[in-house]
Amino acid sequence: MKKEQVVNCQFSVWYPIFKKHTIKSLILPLPQNVIDYLLDDGTLVVSGSDHNTQQTQTNNSDSDAEEDIQWSDDETTTTVTAPEFPEFTSKVLEAINSLGGRVFPKLNWSAPRDANWIALNSSLQCRSLSDIFLLFKSSDFITHDLTQPFLQCSDQDSPDPVINYELVLRKWSELIPGGEFRCFVKENKLIAISQRDYTQYYQHILKQEEQISQAIQDFFSQHIQYNFLDEDFVFDVYRDSQGRVWLIDLNPFGEVTDSLLFTWGELTSGEVAEQQEGPAFRYTTSEVTVQPSPCLSYRIPRDFVDLSTGEDAYKLIDFLKLKKSQQEESEEEEEEEQENAPQ
């Protein structure tokens, strides 16, 4: 994967090419002061309005600080003023309203899919700038876009291209996860299709396997093939209830992109393409193979994810020992209480 391929997968590069086949969107240049705010470690979120806002921030008195530490059980509160971006806020609200009042936000490449847990409705649907900032400042995917977009490129010796960061607002659409698929293209040939939400079992995919695969192949040959700037790339599609296929996103052909039910070894070696004439199509075939969402690791400690998936047997053993020890201690305490109880 070359840096040029990453550049070509920016939303503002591919959207004009495939505008007729994707969801209506608007692109706004991201001011430098907004970028600085997104990269700031602070947790303060700006208001969606143009008015001055203040927010109370709670600090534990035993936290690190330059001033002398005063030990206390009490918590202190300081009033801090939220940063303001009046001109940018106005443009964002105007764009949101023109798209129906609800949008799906993303940057040049990524959407904050790893941060939907922090939203009140656990959704990426946004109605204001504050909704967008809350998701962006909580997302590792967004931070990667802003700080390390070329991290896994093979041509690290070449200078990084200059990136003009943009806020992408897409008209909100209720997409059923079972209708999303990721497609892998090598040398302008569609070699593999994977169920996007592979953590769930969708019965209709099993029943309509041939129709789904053929619909995606037709869409690729008619609208995508030879029209993109690279011959190796990954694209996501959505097949609606009427059977129509829509382009959702384009990604670089490389490990920075999740290979889902395939491995990058299979995709790059040509192993998948050699196994059959058409593209390989993989999907979750039964409820037995349902898995936890990979985004769980962004919302709870990794140890808990390992326990739930069984990836680390030693952690599970330690956890069971801990629970047994806690139970024994509890039983001993109950026995002591019974012995010391007045007769």
Side-chain angles (χ1 to χ4, degrees), residues 30 121 168 196 224 258 283 319:
L30 207 59
N121 56 357
V168 177
R196 186 75 172 81
I224 307 296
D258 192 340
Y283 51 91
F319 177 74

Side-chain angles (χ1 to χ4, degrees), residues 20-23 219 236-238 240 244-248:
K20 294 181 180 179
H21 310 292
T22 189
I23 298 168
F219 178 79
D236 294 338
V237 295
Y238 179 75
D240 64 24
R244 180 176 177 180
V245 177
W246 300 82
L247 177 64
I248 300 299

Side-chain angles (χ1 to χ4, degrees), residues 64 68 72 84 88 115 119 259:
D64 293 335
D68 293 337
S72 171
E84 298 177 8
F88 183 64
S259 59

Side-chain angles (χ1 to χ4, degrees), residues 69-107:
I69 299 176
Q70 296 180 350
W71 299 99
S72 171
D73 291 333
D74 299 329
E75 290 184 337
T76 59
T77 59
T78 23
T79 302
V80 290
T81 304
E84 298 177 8
F85 313 100
E87 185 178 348
F88 183 64
T89 299
S90 177
K91 291 179 179 179
V92 170
L93 292 179
E94 183 181 349
I96 291 175
N97 290 332
S98 69
L99 292 171
R102 299 180 301 163
V103 296
F104 174 91
K106 62 178 296 181
L107 284 188

Side-chain angles (χ1 to χ4, degrees), residues 155-170:
D155 52 343
Q156 289 295 325
D157 294 338
S158 64
D160 287 348
V162 176
I163 300 299
N164 295 315
Y165 283 99
E166 300 155 334
L167 171 63
V168 177
L169 301 176
R170 314 206 70 184

Side-chain angles (χ1 to χ4, degrees), residues 45-88:
V45 177
V46 303
S47 168
S49 67
D50 293 331
H51 301 292
N52 292 336
T53 58
Q54 290 187 325
Q55 179 172 321
T56 300
Q57 186 176 39
T58 302
N59 303 306
N60 288 327
S61 58
D62 59 348
S63 62
D64 293 335
E66 293 182 359
E67 60 189 40
D68 293 337
I69 299 176
Q70 296 180 350
W71 299 99
S72 171
D73 291 333
D74 299 329
E75 290 184 337
T76 59
T77 59
T78 23
T79 302
V80 290
T81 304
E84 298 177 8
F85 313 100
E87 185 178 348
F88 183 64

Side-chain angles (χ1 to χ4, degrees), residues 238-285:
Y238 179 75
R239 183 174 181 265
D240 64 24
S241 58
Q242 306 301 315
R244 180 176 177 180
V245 177
W246 300 82
L247 177 64
I248 300 299
D249 204 1
L250 273 99
N251 302 283
F253 188 89
E255 293 187 6
V256 68
T257 301
D258 192 340
S259 59
L260 303 180
L261 291 174
F262 294 90
T263 67
W264 276 111
E266 291 177 305
L267 295 168
T268 55
S269 67
E271 177 183 341
V272 171
E274 294 173 355
Q275 291 177 354
Q276 56 194 78
E277 292 185 6
F281 185 17
R282 293 182 184 175
Y283 51 91
T284 302
T285 55

